Amino acid sequence: MTSVREWIYSGRHAVGERWHNAPRWMRWAVIAAVIVFFYALPNREFYQWLGPIPTTGSNFGQVLFTISIYVLLAVGLNIVVGFAGLLDLGYFGFFAVGAYTVAVLTSPSSDLKTLWPWLLALPVALVLTMISGVMLGTPTLRLRGDYLAIVTLGFAEMIRVAATSSEFLKGQRGFNQIPHPPGSYSDGKPIFGVLDPRPYYWLVLTLIILVVIGVRNLNRSRVGRAWISIREDEDAAQLMGVPTFKFKLWAFASGAFIGGLAGALFAGKQNFVSSQNLELLNSIIILAAVILGGSGNIVGAIVGGGLVAYMIERFRGIEFFGVELYEYRFMFFGLVLVVMMIFRPQGLIPNRRRAAEFKDRRKEVIVGG
């Protein structure tokens, strides 16, 4: 088993070295080609040549929209878990805050009857989600490890219970007729309609690119260096003069912003929000996506979020000896996680520091054995 692990690591390390040593123009050309590929992906004229990759049991454009939402959430949670090293089990609560804020301000079934357009409600949802992140973090971020995880889990459950039992939030009846994002074609037909999910996917994909650029710049700034120091050794960082509490709040607020953005986009696409969308399993799936892709690496979070969402949706409509495989999707998902934790505990695409840590631990195990 050790030889298999070494082979996998050496292969990944060689690819990583070639990528970092490649000319700058070549790396930008590869990135541009990848972006063009994903923009073309929802078009039938393109994905019909991709063999078994497109889903057969559901609309592939809708699946791509779901994948893009998972990717956006994984990038946001990666700030909290991967960069700052804070274990958050209730991240989906921020998604709920964003979705419900849009629903309350725009839906005709809301008690407020404000009937705002989606675009006007969006910044309010983002601000309220960031405030909720700060409000959650202020009394709890002095906790660490398992204790912080339990508190964040409680936050997500509070949101779910409030949404289920509150008459103001409509429980399982939910909010309907939530307006879609604005925009229309030259003939007056709305860009963001009900039947075609592709414009929503393109919108989320564009926002993912902008978010990734922002997170990447933030991670390379003084804030990102503070997050890394907190993740590696919070006590040492505090002794060196890093205001750890302040930067942990930064991480929570930044992650909450992205989670709220995903929730607002989801509400605008689905046209409906209810407490049935707020299962605890969603938070666990997003956390698993970050770990699967490679905690602390933006590309790893993107890959992890995309793979997890695709794995779950790929089994829809597939039967094996009369058995609907979609019913066992989480069993297959769990098996993949178990195999990954055995052979790639650092994730598919870990950051360099984390990969070096696992390499050193592997050497210690070999020497000790």
Side-chain angles (χ1 to χ4, degrees):
M1 185 178 292
T2 302
S3 61
V4 174
R5 289 178 178 174
E6 292 293 339
W7 178 79
I8 293 174
Y9 176 82
S10 61
R12 185 261 169 191
H13 184 71
V15 172
E17 285 298 319
R18 282 197 294 268
W19 170 258
H20 290 292
N21 293 331
R24 187 180 181 88
W25 66 267
M26 185 178 295
R27 283 183 286 172
W28 278 110
V30 172
I31 293 173
V34 171
I35 292 174
V36 170
F37 171 84
F38 282 107
Y39 271 105
L41 192 55
N43 296 309
R44 184 178 181 83
E45 297 81 7
F46 181 77
Y47 69 72
Q48 66 180 350
W49 303 104
L50 299 180
I53 292 179
T55 53
T56 55
S58 54
N59 186 298
F60 190 50
Q62 176 61 41
V63 171
L64 288 175
F65 171 77
T66 303
I67 291 173
S68 64
I69 291 293
Y70 272 77
V71 168
L72 192 58
L73 287 169
V75 171
L77 183 58
N78 187 54
I79 295 176
V80 181
V81 176
F83 293 162
L86 306 172
L87 184 54
D88 186 353
L89 293 181
Y91 184 71
F92 208 75
F94 299 126
F95 174 94
V97 172
Y100 267 94
T101 301
V102 169
V104 168
L105 293 176
T106 63
S107 173
S109 57
S110 170
D111 293 340
L112 295 183
K113 304 296 182 184
T114 50
L115 302 180
W116 286 12
W118 180 87
L119 192 60
L120 184 60
L122 176 62
V124 178
L126 298 180
V127 170
L128 287 181
T129 310
M130 290 186 68
I131 292 174
S132 69
V134 173
M135 290 177 63
L136 172 64
T138 300
T140 62
L141 283 179
R142 302 189 189 281
L143 302 173
R144 301 184 189 180
D146 298 339
Y147 302 101
L148 178 61
I150 292 172
V151 171
T152 55
L153 179 62
F155 164 73
E157 280 298 286
M158 287 171 56
I159 298 293
R160 185 188 65 82
V161 171
T164 302
S165 59
S166 171
E167 183 62 29
F168 179 74
L169 297 179
K170 305 302 178 183
Q172 294 187 358
R173 289 177 297 152
F175 296 91
N176 55 21
Q177 300 183 46
I178 298 173
H180 299 296
S184 59
Y185 295 107
S186 58
D187 59 358
K189 182 181 177 181
I191 296 175
F192 300 96
V194 177
L195 300 179
D196 188 5
R198 292 179 303 171
Y200 298 97
Y201 165 73
W202 288 324
L203 173 62
V204 180
L205 180 59
T206 303
L207 290 174
I208 288 173
I209 294 172
L210 296 177
V211 166
V212 166
I213 293 173
V215 171
R216 180 176 176 270
N217 291 336
L218 195 61
N219 188 42
R220 295 188 173 192
S221 68
R222 173 171 163 266
V223 176
R225 291 190 292 273
W227 286 341
I228 292 174
S229 66
I230 293 170
R231 182 189 68 199
E232 297 302 320
D233 192 327
E234 184 174 345
D235 292 330
Q238 199 160 11
L239 288 172
M240 293 298 293
V242 176
T244 57
F245 183 75
K246 168 187 171 182
F247 285 111
K248 287 195 291 185
L249 272 183
W250 260 96
F252 250 59
S254 302
F257 176 89
I258 299 174
L261 176 61
L265 291 166
F266 176 84
K269 163 66 174 66
Q270 296 299 107
N271 199 230
F272 175 77
V273 171
S274 77
S275 60
Q276 294 178 332
N277 305 124
L278 308 182
E279 296 180 359
L280 171 63
L281 182 62
N282 293 316
S283 290
I284 305 301
I285 289 175
I286 301 302
L287 179 60
V290 174
I291 296 173
L292 177 68
S295 179
N297 190 314
I298 298 176
V299 177
I302 293 172
V303 172
L307 280 179
V308 165
Y310 179 76
M311 279 192 297
I312 293 174
E313 290 293 330
R314 190 64 186 85
F315 292 105
R316 193 186 297 273
I318 300 178
E319 292 188 2
F320 186 73
F321 291 107
V323 178
E324 179 68 39
L325 293 184
Y326 187 72
E327 298 296 326
Y328 299 92
R329 62 193 184 279
F330 291 115
M331 183 187 74
F332 294 113
F333 176 55
L335 288 174
V336 170
L337 287 181
V338 170
V339 172
M340 278 296 303
M341 291 304 100
I342 294 174
F343 293 102
R344 292 284 293 180
Q346 68 270 43
L348 291 172
I349 312 176
N351 63 23
R352 292 184 178 183
R353 183 185 297 271
R354 188 165 177 81
E357 290 174 359
F358 275 92
K359 184 179 179 181
D360 292 339
R361 292 177 190 175
R362 190 179 300 111
K363 290 179 178 179
E364 291 174 3
V365 171
I366 294 173
V367 173

